[in-house]
């Protein structure tokens, strides 16, 4: 890090909807040469909006209403269209999220690269290939002739990075460049970015929802909440001693496989753009909020030394983050609730039959949580669907409470259907949009437990309370609920059946990390209180460490390792597990 | 929290509020609604208030408008106003019957095909492919040949023509729904096919299906009016807007209103459905 | 007939092959499927014109005909033979390009080939269809792309409003209105499009004006609208947004990142227009008395010339199926992802 004038200087940046509602409200940032600045925030925090504004761009329906963005001494805002186009790519470039969607499906990748390269210099084929080579892609004409869909997700993302380097801009903005990639691919892309910085001295703004990822790559980090930066400083300082209660809460919410611990979720969820409160936007969720917090918007204050700033008047009161309260994992000795033996499943597609799970055997005891871990395509969801009867397995047997469980739903008794319940991955599609929450929640009791409609309805209130929701939600429609609330309702609906086994399929992967922590803790409590057996399916080792007693690692449809969570995560034996553990983002790596 | 609150009882939206919410908000949508009300009123109530019998010759062919006959007379010297008033019912009625029949079958088949994904499905889809490979009007003429001239054949043919696209739309909507969590949850609960279709799938595809039904009706009107115009549907001396345009072609110079008024009403009807459909489709967001 | 222009459902998408010539394989498969479809159609058509009530012979001769005359005509037409034989003969003829003879010819005591009867009219219809198709293609492409680029501005509103009304009307209603305007009031165009047998419609271009205007009026609105929708979707896509953020010039963005990806839906639009015209011609030719294949078919149906109806119907259906297949293959050819065996 050098002390010359910053390469990127943002001050008082404001972006508002056409209605005047601010999305981003007074953001200040600086980026020094050769530095990586992380911008972290949950959905709706305004981080992507801020990132795009660095290139002078506002999304449809939004407008940059004030402030200044200077890149290498040049003002970006208030430029004409032509001037703006001129600086993009040359002065500051952009790496989009989801490269598979962002690359032009009709252009060969060499042509995509050439389109940007030609703005900088006469595009020679050698230069194009050189760029591809510089991000570790094959620098061959054959590779350049490929179309985006012929590349893997990691390769696609590398192409977008190569494009961002084409005109050698001093500043590169990366917007969630690894979101949606498998953990191993994510690791390789992060390595690539580190190398670029080391070799080229690239200066980066790295936007992500994932503090663990950012902590691995950034020098400094700015934490955004409800359109404002609430804390900013060197990454190590922030991780060690967060001063804003939100940063602290975030740290305590992130499950980390290197540091298996109880999660301490924050109350509530982040406000939407239209419902941000006066005063400090975090006040409603803040454990140390005082009266003045609800009326006066706080300003950024310097902590200890100049480069650590926090937007909280009471930052001195913020206690250090409580990390690493170990979860007491009592050895579960109860009998098995579910026994799976030699399960085999396949998908019939146009290309023939593909076996997705083979020779899968495991037990889940009562009151135990078993995690099924694997990357996309490992067969974990298919296994879960076989158990609940939504997919017909090719072979193997399943026993529920020591009695054989037929594969077909039609052959299962009501008691068997009641005994095993499923919570789906996508909370936005798991509740019927045309029915009120109460109706949805009353249904399992009526159908599976033989309650009358009135009896089942009478239970709705206590079910909602069971998952820490207000009984008033019963009259709402799913669209009136946040993602976290919907997932709680989905869990409540499963609980309404009084299951012996609860299968949770990636139930938190669509949720923000603070909401995820609350859901994970709620599930852990339910297991303790109700003694229900949990089968938890996830790709996220952090989540595993947060909830599971035992873990089962899947690779390509087969079990490659199984054992108690702590020992598998600490001393993995199978090479695949070792790679997974090494690649999973962690806060503790620094 | 009181025990009372914990017991959940569903709440109903008052009908008036529901109706107001569904009124189109855009200008073109409102014009569409007004036109629809107007043409439907003429079509449905018109036959009750004709000044003359629509079949009676009252003067010389193609006589121009007079006080007694504000729209003049047609090619047989019948009162155009009376024929216009009685000529809309057939259009609306037959198109409505054809659409309803097509939807009754199409909805059932489409839902089953989309939801159950059984062996039946590829067969159904191939069959609709074959029917879709025919130009609609040619198919209509062919069936008119088969059934012999007359409106029954035309109505059946129209329903048959509408069937494949309905099956496709309903099927793909149902298929999309069948992969959703709430449908799978219901399946895993062991609910019967009928219950899943009625409780989970139908309410969620009702809106696109209703929008489509409107378009289908408009298309039925176009098809049936077209065949009537070609003289292969309703036969003279029936009063029908499509037929009127056709049979009074010779009088375009002498008494244009003998042709134009029926044409305008038919146009207003189809225009209204299109405008309204656009407004409803735009309002879904 | 406007509703025919609303795409009902995507045609079966070409599946992934990953072979060296996915396009050729899909082409073969689609053509085979098309032939199968046409075969099923031929059965339907034959049954519809043969089995159901009414016999071509008695229908042509009328109610007063003597049983002997009917029987004689039936024999001449081959109607006394088993249905399967009749069908086989007809189908074999079709496969050799022989459309058979008209019933009207038999009734007149001789034979007249369907092809001789319709070839001139087919030509006239092709002329009419082409004079409609080309301007609609150009107009809707230009207007669709322009309105997408200027979405929400005055040009967009103007085009939408102006094309909306004619597009919603039945062809014969729009045609009638045009007749009233150009013949009754302005008196500059003929009410009937008379073209002498054997003469080209271009020799009397005024006969084309009203039919063309009607069909263009009905089709240009929906076509523009669909092109606009496809273009707008492309303009709002991620590749366009990212290309702009990469500083690529706007002209290049529109050409390479938006237009290119909007090409495939546009091809489907034009296929729909071409298919629509088959039905549209029936009505418009009848309304204006234009001697084309549409009017010929309507007349054949009117006089119960089932032999002619069969063959003409199959001819039109073949065109229809061919357009569908050609459009799908064209889409595959212009979309690199499909061409190289990716799934859509």
């Amino acid at each position: 890090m050098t002390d010359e004038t910053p390469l990127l200087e943002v001050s008082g940046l404001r972006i508002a909807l056409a209605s005047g509602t601010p999305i981003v409200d007074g953001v200040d940032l600086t980026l020094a040469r050769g530095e990586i600045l992380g911008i972290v925030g949950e959905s709706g925090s305004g981080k992507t909006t801020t990132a795009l504004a660095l290139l002078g761009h506002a999304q449809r329906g939004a407008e940059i209403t004030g402030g200044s963005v200077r890149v290498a001494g040049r003002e970006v805002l208030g430029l004409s269209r032509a001037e703006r186009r001129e600086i993009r790519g040359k002065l500051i470039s952009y790496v989009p999220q989801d490269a598979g969607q962002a690359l032009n499906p009709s252009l060969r990748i060499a042509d995509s690269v050439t389109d940007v390269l030609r703005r900088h210099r006469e595009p020679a084929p050698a230069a194009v290939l050189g760029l591809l080579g510089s991000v570790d892609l094959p620098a061959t004409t054959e590779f350049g002739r490929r179309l985006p869909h012929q590349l893997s997700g990691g390769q696609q993302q590398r192409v977008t990075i190569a494009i961002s380097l084409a005109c050698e801009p001093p500043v590169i903005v990366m917007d969630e460049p690894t979101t949606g990639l498998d953990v191993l691919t994510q690791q390789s892309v992060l390595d690539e970015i580190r190398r670029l910085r080391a070799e080229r001295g690239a200066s980066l703004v790295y936007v992500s929802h994932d503090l663990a990822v950012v902590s691995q790559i950034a020098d400094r980090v700015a934490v955004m909440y409800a359109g404002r930066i609430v804390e900013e400083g060197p990454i190590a300082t922030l991780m060690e001693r967060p001063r804003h209660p939100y940063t602290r809460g975030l740290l305590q919410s992130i499950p980390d496989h290197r540091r298996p611990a109880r999660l301490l979720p924050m109350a509530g969820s982040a406000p939407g753009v239209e419902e941000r409160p006066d005063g400090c936007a975090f006040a409603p969720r803040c454990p140390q909020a005082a009266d003045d917090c609800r009326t006066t918007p706080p300003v950024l204050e310097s902590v200890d030394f100049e480069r650590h700033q926090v937007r909280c008047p009471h930052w001195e009161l913020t206690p250090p983050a409580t990390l690493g309260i170990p979860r007491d994992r009592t050895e579960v000795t109860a009998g098995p609730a579910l026994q799976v033996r030699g399960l085999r499943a396949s998908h019939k597609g146009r290309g023939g039959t593909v076996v997705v799970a083979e020779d899968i055997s495991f037990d889940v005891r009562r009151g135990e949580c078993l995690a099924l871990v694997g990357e996309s395509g490992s067969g974990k969801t298919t296994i879960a669907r076989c158990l609940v009867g939504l997919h017909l397995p090719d072979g193997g047997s399943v026993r529920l409470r020591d009695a054989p469980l037929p594969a077909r739903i039609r052959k299962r008794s009501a008691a068997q259907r009641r005994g095993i319940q499923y919570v789906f991955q996508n909370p936005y599609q798991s509740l019927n949009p045309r029915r009120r929450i109460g109706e949805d929640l009353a249904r399992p009791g009526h159908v599976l437990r033989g309650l009358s409609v009135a009896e089942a309805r009478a239970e709705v209130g206590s079910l909602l309370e069971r998952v820490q929701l207000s009984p008033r939600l019963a009259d709402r429609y799913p669209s009136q609920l946040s993602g976290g609330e919907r997932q709680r309702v989905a869990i409540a609906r499963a609980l309404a059946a009084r299951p012996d086994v609860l299968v949770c399929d990636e139930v938190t992967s669509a949720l923000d990390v603070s909401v995820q922590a609350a859901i994970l803790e709620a599930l852990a409590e339910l297991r303790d209180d109700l003694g229900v057996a949990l089968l938890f399916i996830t790709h996220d080792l952090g989540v595993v460490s947060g909830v599971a007693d035992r873990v089962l690692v899947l690779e390509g449809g087969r079990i490659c390792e199984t054992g108690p969570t702590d020992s598998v995560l600490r001393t993995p034996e199978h090479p695949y597990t070792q790679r997974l553990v090494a690649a999973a983002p962690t806060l503790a790596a620094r | 929290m009181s025990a009372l609150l914990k017991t959940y009882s569903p709440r109903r939206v008052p009908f008036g509020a529901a109706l107001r919410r569904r009124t189109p908000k855009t200008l073109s949508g409102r014009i569409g609604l007004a036109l629809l009300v107007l043409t439907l009123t003429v079509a449905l109530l018109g036959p009750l208030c004709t000044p003359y019998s629509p079949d009676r010759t009252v003067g010389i062919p193609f006589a121009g408008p007079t006080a007694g006959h504000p729209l003049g007379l047609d090619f047989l010297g019948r009162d155009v106003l009376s024929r216009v008033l009685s000529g809309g019912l057939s259009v609306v009625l037959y198109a409505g019957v054809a659409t309803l029949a097509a939807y009754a079958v199409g909805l059932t088949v489409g839902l089953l095909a989309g939801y159950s994904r059984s062996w039946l499905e590829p067969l159904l889809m191939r069959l609709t492919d074959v029917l879709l490979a025919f130009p609609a009007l040619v198919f209509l003429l062919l069936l008119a040949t088969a059934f012999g001239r007359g409106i029954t054949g035309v109505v059946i043919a129209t329903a048959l023509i509408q069937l494949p696209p309905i099956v496709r739309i309903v099927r793909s909507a149902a298929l999309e729904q069948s992969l959703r969590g709430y449908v799978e949850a219901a399946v895993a609960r062991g609910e019967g096919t009928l219950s899943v279709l009625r409780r989970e799938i139908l309410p969620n595809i009702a809106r696109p299906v209703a929008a489509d039904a409107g378009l289908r009706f408009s298309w039925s009107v176009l098809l049936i009016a077209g065949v009537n115009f070609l003289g292969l549907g309703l036969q003279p001396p029936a009063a029908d807007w499509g037929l009127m345009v056709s049979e009074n072609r010779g009088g375009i110079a002498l008494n244009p209103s003998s042709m134009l008024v029926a044409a305008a009403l038919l146009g207003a009807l189809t225009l209204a459905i299109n405008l309204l459909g656009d407004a409803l489709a735009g309002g879904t967001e | 007939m406007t509703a025919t222009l609303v795409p009902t459902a995507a045609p079966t998408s070409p599946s992934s092959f990953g072979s060296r010539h996915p396009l050729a394989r899909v082409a073969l498969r689609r053509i085979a499927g098309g032939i199968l479809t046409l075969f099923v159609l031929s059965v339907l058509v034959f049954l519809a014109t043969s089995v159901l009530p009414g016999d071509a012979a008695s229908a042509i001769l009328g109610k007063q005909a003597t049983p002997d005359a009917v029987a004689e005509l039936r024999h001449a037409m081959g109607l006394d033979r088993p249905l399967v034989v009749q069908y086989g003969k007809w189908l074999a003829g079709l496969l050799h390009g022989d459309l058979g003879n008209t019933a009207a010819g038999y009734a007149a005591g001789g034979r007249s080939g369907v092809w001789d009867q319709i070839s001139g009219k087919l030509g006239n219809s092709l002329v009419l269809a082409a004079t409609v198709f080309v301007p609609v293609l150009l107009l809707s492409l230009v207007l669709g792309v322009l309105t997408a680029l200027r979405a929400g501005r005055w040009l967009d509103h103007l085009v939408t409003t102006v094309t909306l009304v004619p597009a919603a009307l039945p062809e014969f209603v729009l045609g009638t209105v045009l007749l009233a305007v150009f013949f009754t009031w302005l008196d500059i165009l003929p009410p009937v499009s008379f073209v002498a047998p054997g003469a080209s419609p271009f020799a009397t271009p005024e006969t084309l004006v009203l039919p063309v205007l009607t069909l263009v009026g009905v089709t240009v609105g929906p076509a523009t609208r669909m092109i606009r929708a496809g273009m707008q979707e492309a303009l709002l896509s991620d590749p366009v947004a990212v290309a702009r953020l990469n500083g690529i010039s706007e002209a290049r963005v529109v050409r390479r990142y938006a237009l290119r990806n909007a090409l495939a839906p546009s091809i489907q639009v034009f296929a729909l227009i071409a298919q629509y015209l088959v039905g549209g011609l029936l009505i418009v030719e009848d309304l204006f008395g234009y001697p084309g294949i549409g009017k010929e078919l309507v007349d054949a149906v009117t006089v119960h010339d089932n032999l002619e109806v069969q063959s003409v119907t199959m001819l039109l259906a073949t065109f229809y199926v061919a357009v569908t297949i050609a459009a799908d293959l064209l889409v595959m050819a212009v979309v690199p992802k499909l061409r190289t065996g990716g799934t859509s």
Side-chain angles (χ1 to χ4, degrees):
Chain A
M1 247 177 272
T2 50
D3 278 307
E4 57 186 288
T5 42
L7 259 185
L8 171 72
E9 219 176 348
V10 179
S11 62
L13 179 66
R14 274 168 211 285
I15 302 158
L17 293 177
S19 61
T21 314
I23 312 171
V24 169
D25 200 359
V27 161
D28 303 310
L29 291 168
T30 57
L31 177 72
R33 195 172 295 277
E35 190 179 39
I36 298 182
L37 169 70
I39 299 181
V40 168
E42 297 184 280
S43 48
S45 63
K47 57 186 188 304
T48 291
T49 312
T50 304
L52 290 171
L54 301 184
L55 290 98
H57 178 72
Q59 282 147 315
R60 193 160 283 269
E63 199 190 345
I64 302 174
T65 52
S68 116
V69 175
R70 297 178 78 82
V71 184
R74 180 136 186 232
E75 178 61 51
V76 168
L77 304 184
L79 292 181
S80 72
R81 282 166 77 109
E83 289 168 323
R84 209 158 47 207
R85 195 180 68 235
E86 188 52 32
I87 62 150
R88 287 180 184 171
K90 290 190 179 174
L91 212 52
I92 183 164
S93 65
Y94 182 76
V95 176
Q97 181 176 352
D98 195 356
Q101 285 290 310
L103 288 169
N104 187 344
S106 305
L107 288 188
R108 302 183 182 285
I109 61 171
D111 292 340
S112 280
V113 176
T114 310
D115 269 0
V116 182
L117 191 63
R118 74 168 69 242
R119 306 187 49 236
H120 184 54
R121 53 178 154 157
E122 203 46 48
V128 174
L129 298 185
L131 265 175
L132 292 178
S134 73
V135 289
D136 258 359
L137 289 169
T140 60
T141 319
E142 188 281 323
F143 189 80
R145 285 185 54 78
R146 290 211 198 157
L147 289 158
H149 75 271
Q150 296 167 322
L151 271 53
S152 72
Q155 287 177 323
Q156 288 170 342
Q157 197 57 272
R158 280 162 202 265
V159 172
T160 63
I161 295 175
I163 288 175
S164 78
L165 299 172
C167 305
E168 294 169 17
V171 179
I172 304 172
V173 177
M174 297 194 170
D175 188 3
E176 303 260 17
T178 65
T179 306
L181 299 180
D182 272 338
V183 119
L184 295 174
T185 317
Q186 161 169 291
Q187 195 55 42
S188 75
V189 171
L190 288 178
D191 286 343
E192 197 60 55
I193 297 171
R194 277 195 209 99
R195 205 172 55 77
L196 284 177
R197 195 257 290 268
E199 287 175 10
R200 300 190 165 219
S203 316
L204 289 175
V205 175
Y206 190 102
V207 178
S208 176
H209 69 286
D210 191 335
L211 188 52
V213 166
V214 168
S215 79
Q216 291 184 356
I217 196 164
D219 304 304
R220 283 191 306 123
V221 62
V223 180
M224 288 192 73
Y225 187 81
R228 291 203 173 106
I229 290 179
V230 294
E231 187 163 10
E232 197 230 313
I235 185 84
T237 318
L238 239 79
M239 307 283 292
E240 210 164 277
R241 189 73 173 89
R243 292 298 187 167
H244 196 281
Y246 174 67
T247 317
R248 177 175 176 265
L250 210 52
L251 275 174
Q252 295 178 158
S253 301
I254 299 174
D256 189 334
H257 67 289
R258 297 280 171 91
R259 208 163 46 190
R262 262 193 100 84
L263 302 176
L264 301 172
M266 286 178 263
S269 60
V273 170
E274 302 280 355
E275 56 204 26
R276 288 176 186 167
D278 296 336
C280 176
F282 187 64
R285 304 173 73 185
C286 183
Q288 63 199 52
D291 288 344
D292 58 331
C293 295
R294 296 193 177 82
T295 51
T296 327
V299 293
L300 272 180
E301 298 179 19
S302 285
V303 179
D304 305 333
F305 59 102
E306 217 177 313
R307 290 180 66 84
H308 184 186
Q309 293 181 301
V310 59
R311 194 184 290 275
C312 178
H314 310 293
W315 59 267
E316 282 165 320
L317 301 176
T318 310
T322 326
L323 300 173
I325 302 176
R327 179 185 296 290
D328 30 319
R329 290 189 212 274
T330 44
E331 185 78 13
V332 182
T333 50
L338 187 75
Q339 294 164 288
V340 179
R341 291 292 174 272
L343 190 76
R344 181 192 147 96
S346 58
H347 284 291
K348 284 174 208 59
R350 267 186 291 209
T353 304
V354 186
V355 176
V356 290
E358 179 110 62
D359 196 20
I360 303 293
S361 302
F362 59 85
D363 287 357
V364 194
R365 298 169 193 278
R366 285 198 287 276
E368 184 190 41
C369 175
L370 172 71
L372 237 57
V373 184
E375 308 212 288
S376 47
S378 63
K380 54 191 193 300
T381 290
T382 308
I383 295 172
R385 294 174 64 84
C386 286
L387 297 180
V388 288
L390 290 172
H391 187 99
L392 202 60
D394 298 342
S397 67
V398 180
R399 294 174 75 81
L400 178 68
R401 279 167 310 169
D402 235 13
L405 185 70
R408 287 180 193 277
I409 291 178
R410 295 263 176 262
K411 294 195 175 148
R412 294 183 182 180
S413 68
Q416 284 170 325
R417 277 181 268 130
R418 181 192 65 70
I420 181 160
Q421 290 290 310
Y422 193 52
V423 183
F424 294 86
Q425 172 169 9
N426 188 344
Y428 296 93
Q429 290 191 358
S430 65
L431 303 177
N432 189 338
R434 310 294 292 182
R435 271 204 277 152
R436 295 174 199 277
I437 301 301
E439 285 178 74
D440 231 3
L441 284 179
R443 195 71 188 157
H446 175 59
V447 174
L448 295 175
R449 286 169 43 220
L451 302 182
S452 73
V453 174
E455 285 168 333
R457 279 187 179 152
E459 276 188 359
V460 166
S462 54
L463 279 169
L464 283 168
E465 284 185 339
R466 180 90 251 161
V467 291
Q468 292 138 38
L469 290 174
S470 159
R472 289 168 205 277
L473 292 189
D475 250 337
R476 304 254 181 98
Y477 284 101
S479 62
Q480 296 167 296
L481 269 56
S482 72
E485 287 171 329
R486 288 184 212 201
Q487 202 57 296
R488 283 170 192 267
V489 171
I491 293 170
R493 185 178 60 194
L495 293 179
R498 306 254 170 97
D500 303 299
V501 179
L502 188 59
V503 183
C504 297
D505 185 4
E506 296 272 17
V507 289
T508 59
S509 63
L511 302 175
D512 276 328
V513 64
S514 70
V515 180
Q516 160 174 295
I519 298 271
L520 293 182
E521 281 308 307
L523 281 171
E525 242 170 70
L526 288 172
R527 177 191 47 159
D528 292 344
D529 293 358
L530 306 176
V532 60
L534 277 180
L535 183 62
F536 207 91
I537 287 144
T538 180
H539 68 284
D540 187 335
L541 288 182
V543 168
V544 170
S545 73
V547 292
D549 303 307
R550 280 192 307 127
V551 56
L552 192 151
V553 184
L554 288 168
E555 185 194 11
R558 286 173 178 277
I559 299 175
C560 71
E561 183 162 1
T562 174
T565 306
D566 289 348
S567 68
V568 170
L569 293 183
R570 201 166 296 144
T571 52
E573 280 168 9
H574 194 278
Y576 178 73
T577 319
Q578 287 167 353
R579 284 202 295 148
L580 271 189
V581 170
T586 169
L587 292 165
R590 295 185 71 88
Chain B
M1 215 49 67
S2 70
L4 195 69
L5 256 178
K6 281 190 193 172
T7 304
Y8 166 71
S9 58
R11 207 171 51 189
R12 298 247 166 253
V13 177
F15 180 70
L19 195 68
R20 234 171 295 129
R21 217 167 42 201
R22 281 172 174 75
T23 311
K25 309 269 179 307
T26 58
L27 178 65
S28 58
R30 289 189 173 163
I31 294 177
L33 187 63
L35 276 180
L36 187 68
V37 171
L38 178 83
T39 45
L40 285 185
T41 311
V42 173
L44 299 177
L45 302 180
L48 304 176
C49 29
T50 53
Y52 299 90
S53 159
D55 301 333
R56 210 183 71 192
T57 300
V58 290
I60 51 165
F62 294 129
T66 58
H69 307 285
L71 298 179
L73 305 182
D74 77 350
F75 77 116
L76 288 180
R78 296 170 294 195
D79 180 45
V80 172
L81 178 64
S82 303
R83 288 184 66 79
V84 162
L85 287 174
S86 18
L89 186 61
S90 53
V91 176
V92 174
L93 191 72
Y94 293 128
V97 168
T99 313
L100 274 181
Y103 246 96
V105 180
L107 198 62
T108 317
V109 175
L111 276 176
L112 286 175
Y115 169 69
S116 65
R117 283 173 268 164
S118 65
W119 56 269
L120 197 70
E121 204 219 312
L123 192 76
L124 281 169
M125 289 303 111
R126 287 251 62 86
L127 210 64
T128 59
D129 276 350
V130 169
L131 282 175
L132 279 176
F134 238 145
L137 206 58
V138 175
F139 189 56
L140 207 53
L141 291 197
L142 189 69
L143 288 178
T145 316
F147 291 119
R149 204 161 300 174
I151 197 67
T152 322
V154 171
V155 170
I156 295 174
T158 306
L160 275 177
I161 289 168
Q162 307 272 33
L163 198 53
I166 293 175
V167 169
R168 287 203 158 202
I169 284 170
V170 173
R171 173 188 163 269
S172 68
L175 186 64
E176 204 256 326
Q177 286 290 318
S178 72
L179 305 173
R180 302 253 170 157
Y182 45 88
V183 179
E184 299 212 305
V187 172
R189 276 203 292 272
E191 305 224 13
T193 302
L194 266 183
S195 165
V196 174
L197 288 179
R198 191 175 59 81
R199 300 180 61 93
E200 315 291 339
I201 294 185
L202 257 184
N204 287 297
I205 65 171
R207 210 182 246 268
V209 163
D212 178 67
L215 271 181
R216 296 286 149 218
F217 175 67
S218 135
W219 200 29
S220 297
V221 169
L222 288 168
L223 277 174
I224 291 179
V227 175
N228 285 343
F229 165 81
L230 291 176
L232 300 169
L234 273 176
Q235 295 301 307
D240 171 271
W241 291 345
L243 199 54
M244 285 175 70
V245 175
S246 171
E247 60 194 14
N248 291 312
R249 267 185 280 184
I252 183 105
L254 298 167
N255 181 16
S257 56
S258 64
M259 225 177 149
L260 281 179
V261 177
L265 279 167
L266 209 45
L269 179 61
T270 52
L271 181 62
I273 302 169
N274 275 278
L275 288 176
L276 213 56
D278 282 359
L280 290 180
T284 337
E285 262 66 52
Chain C
M1 255 342 73
T2 358
T4 20
L5 289 174
V6 178
T8 44
T12 44
S13 63
S15 56
S16 60
F17 280 98
S19 70
R20 282 176 306 139
H21 300 295
L23 188 59
R25 289 179 63 167
V26 173
L28 281 178
R29 217 187 48 179
R30 293 303 312 269
I31 290 170
I35 291 172
L36 189 71
T37 304
L38 284 175
F39 174 73
V40 177
L41 277 181
S42 73
V43 177
L44 283 179
V45 168
F46 182 79
L47 288 178
T49 48
S50 311
V51 172
L52 292 157
D55 176 301
S58 44
I60 290 170
L61 293 176
K63 292 194 179 85
Q64 278 78 39
T66 61
D68 284 352
V70 172
E72 196 178 321
L73 186 55
R74 281 177 61 87
H75 180 71
M77 291 169 73
L79 294 181
D80 52 350
R81 279 187 270 176
L83 273 181
V84 183
V85 176
Q86 290 182 40
Y87 172 72
K89 193 160 169 282
W90 177 60
L91 188 66
L94 284 185
L95 292 176
H96 291 99
D98 175 13
L99 300 182
N101 296 318
T102 64
Y106 289 114
R111 280 179 189 211
S112 70
V114 171
W115 178 249
D116 300 333
Q117 173 77 16
I118 64 168
S119 59
K121 292 167 178 175
L122 203 57
N124 288 346
S125 282
L126 282 176
V127 167
L128 177 55
T131 18
V132 173
F133 190 73
V134 175
V136 166
L137 188 139
L138 295 176
L139 256 176
S140 60
L141 209 54
V142 170
L143 289 178
V145 170
L146 272 183
T147 49
L149 289 172
R150 305 257 181 289
R153 311 243 204 109
W154 65 267
L155 179 73
D156 186 20
H157 292 303
L158 183 75
V159 170
T160 314
T161 317
V162 168
T163 53
L164 183 87
V165 176
L169 302 180
E171 298 82 353
F172 66 91
V173 168
L174 180 62
T176 305
V177 172
L178 290 176
L179 257 183
V181 172
F182 288 100
F183 168 68
T184 312
W185 291 320
L186 299 177
D187 198 15
I188 49 173
L189 289 170
V192 174
S193 303
F194 178 74
V195 180
S200 160
F202 287 129
T204 46
E206 69 275 9
T207 57
L208 278 171
V209 175
L210 284 181
V212 168
L213 265 187
T214 307
L215 287 172
V216 169
V218 171
T219 48
V220 85
T224 303
R225 216 170 140 167
M226 286 188 282
I227 302 258
R228 179 186 179 279
M231 184 65 186
Q232 205 168 21
E233 196 189 325
L235 279 171
L236 293 175
S237 70
D238 281 7
V240 165
V242 172
R244 283 180 177 148
L245 286 173
N246 281 329
I248 294 171
S249 71
E250 192 60 25
R252 211 176 174 70
V253 169
V254 169
R255 209 175 61 239
R256 271 164 83 90
Y257 291 78
L259 265 180
R260 216 181 247 224
N261 293 321
L263 205 56
S266 307
I267 291 172
Q268 299 288 15
V269 172
F270 296 128
L272 282 170
I273 299 279
Q275 293 178 326
Y276 155 79
L277 284 178
V278 175
L281 285 177
L282 289 181
I283 302 251
V284 167
E285 289 181 356
D286 187 79
L287 174 63
F288 294 107
Y290 183 90
I293 193 74
K295 185 170 186 330
E296 181 67 24
L297 180 60
V298 173
D299 291 345
V301 172
T302 311
V303 302
H304 292 284
D305 192 335
N306 290 6
L307 299 186
E308 189 178 345
V309 172
Q310 280 174 2
S311 297
V312 172
T313 306
M314 277 314 288
L315 201 66
L316 296 179
T318 310
F319 169 78
Y320 208 82
V321 170
V323 167
T324 309
I325 296 175
D328 284 357
L329 294 180
L330 204 56
V331 165
M332 256 195 99
V334 301
V335 177
K337 191 171 170 179
L338 298 177
R339 190 173 59 221
T340 52
T343 46
S344 54

